[in-house]
Amino acid sequence: MGKRKKSSRKPAAASAARRRTPLDTAFTCLFCNHDKSVSVRLDRKEGIAQLVCRICDQRFQSKVNHLTEPVDIYSEWIDAADAAQKDDAVPRRPAASSSRPVPTPASVGSDDDD
């Protein structure tokens, strides 16, 4: 009794289905809305990514690791811009406020004097 022979079908059809489409490297600017004007430069050796718009010169930097792609840096830029916009919308308290309670003025005609 011998082994059965394996079929000699080629796996080319299966590998074509697994082929990944390349991710974008040029993006739309959030500030000037120009298409493909934002480019991302990854410096994996230094661990820094730089995002720059060629039209309005808007810049953003972020830390990278070995898995980071340009689309990840673009997503971080969008999140950072949204967070900055929310911070500007919230009214801030004055920085030089005192922690002492404010004395309440005595009201005229009150019955506390009796």
Side-chain angles (χ1 to χ4, degrees):
M1 297 250 172
K3 289 185 176 180
R4 291 185 183 210
K5 288 187 175 182
K6 293 184 178 181
S7 72
S8 60
R9 230 172 39 182
K10 295 180 181 178
S15 68
R18 292 184 203 164
R19 206 171 275 156
R20 293 190 302 178
T21 59
L23 298 174
D24 288 338
T25 56
F27 306 100
T28 303
C29 181
L30 298 175
F31 298 95
C32 66
N33 292 325
H34 278 87
D35 288 339
K36 297 183 180 180
S37 65
V38 174
S39 61
V40 178
R41 221 175 28 224
L42 298 174
D43 188 0
R44 296 188 194 278
K45 190 174 183 181
E46 296 293 325
I48 295 175
Q50 295 180 348
L51 179 140
V52 179
C53 176
R54 293 187 308 259
I55 307 300
C56 66
D57 202 38
Q58 194 62 240
R59 296 178 181 272
F60 178 75
Q61 283 188 344
S62 180
K63 293 183 180 180
V64 297
N65 58 28
H66 66 284
L67 297 175
T68 306
E69 294 293 327
V71 71
D72 299 325
I73 303 303
Y74 183 69
S75 300
E76 287 181 24
W77 182 46
I78 291 173
D79 294 340
D82 286 343
Q85 187 177 17
K86 284 182 182 178
D87 286 347
D88 289 343
V90 176
R92 295 184 180 187
R93 288 184 18 190
S97 66
S98 174
S99 61
R100 289 185 276 165
V102 177
T104 56
S107 60
V108 178
S110 65
D111 291 40
D112 293 340
D113 295 334
D114 293 339

